[in-house]
Amino acid sequence: MADMTVEVPAERRRDAARTRAEILDVATDEFANRGFSGARVDEIAARTRTTKRMIYYYFGGKEQLYRAVLERAYSEIRAAERAVDVEHLDPLTGVRRLAEVTFDHHEAHPAFIKLVGVENAQHARHVAQVAQLVDLNSSAVDLLHGVLRRGQENGVFRTDVDALDVHMMISSFCFFRVANRHTFGALFDRDLVDPARREHYRTMLGDLITGYLRI
């Protein structure tokens, strides 16, 4: 029997990839600013100059689109972490670099911070349904675990530390700085993302983490 497979032209594949990426870009903004319930697929379609039907063709529905947005958002920060060649860094430098990557990413992607807030308001209902996210986020802890283990073997780090706790410490500092900048600024008259204080906070984070880990 003859092979009836039809190869999709490369240009058409590129167009489809561009359309899908554009939908995800706009959907990220829509969900981050309006929440899951407030976001409208019609609005996303209008802003991407496409149709609601086309969005459903690519993603299946509003919930599936939202999950795709979450998956991409988490994939981006995990990819940034994996780009750090921690195996060739000494443990102290490696853990500091991983902390700095989170600092830089959270600052550059305020929509990610908002999406995490939206999902927490939903009691992680959608994150829990995206099995891929479990693998994505365990990779962050695995990276830290490897660096901590080497530091412990070298006698640099204390042995009673948990990689997930360290991940939480890093995330807490970085998330607070972006998510709470407005309320913190109103209460204490200090802008946490003031460029003039950026390196101060970036260094502070590294010092906090390495100070906690050192013997």
Side-chain angles (χ1 to χ4, degrees), residues 77-141:
I77 186 170
R78 298 292 88 93
E81 291 163 346
R82 288 194 297 270
V84 180
D85 188 11
V86 292
E87 293 298 322
H88 293 88
L89 297 173
D90 67 85
L92 278 170
T93 302
V95 77
R96 183 181 285 270
R97 281 293 300 122
L98 288 173
E100 290 170 348
V101 164
T102 300
F103 183 96
D104 295 343
H105 180 276
H106 282 22
E107 180 182 71
H109 297 84
F112 173 73
I113 306 300
K114 293 180 180 179
L115 283 171
V116 173
V118 167
E119 188 57 14
N120 272 288
Q122 299 276 326
H123 301 287
R125 179 164 64 92
H126 298 91
V127 161
Q129 294 176 18
V130 183
Q132 179 74 9
L133 289 178
V134 176
D135 295 332
L136 287 172
N137 292 309
S138 65
S139 70
V141 180

Side-chain angles (χ1 to χ4, degrees), residues 38-85:
R40 296 287 178 264
V41 177
D42 287 330
E43 178 65 18
I44 296 169
R47 291 177 58 189
T48 53
R49 300 181 303 280
T50 185
T51 64
K52 189 173 182 178
R53 181 178 178 182
M54 182 63 71
I55 291 174
Y56 284 176
Y57 170 77
Y58 281 116
F59 296 97
K62 182 180 178 180
E63 287 208 21
Q64 294 93 324
L65 174 60
Y66 176 65
R67 291 174 198 156
V69 164
L70 286 176
E71 185 173 336
R72 188 179 71 159
Y74 277 99
S75 295
E76 288 172 344
I77 186 170
R78 298 292 88 93
E81 291 163 346
R82 288 194 297 270
V84 180
D85 188 11

Side-chain angles (χ1 to χ4, degrees), residues 188-205:
F188 301 108
D189 192 28
R190 176 170 294 179
D191 184 358
L192 293 176
V193 296
D194 179 359
R197 298 185 65 84
R198 182 180 191 276
E199 286 308 311
H200 166 74
Y201 288 128
R202 198 170 186 262
T203 301
M204 180 192 292
L205 170 63

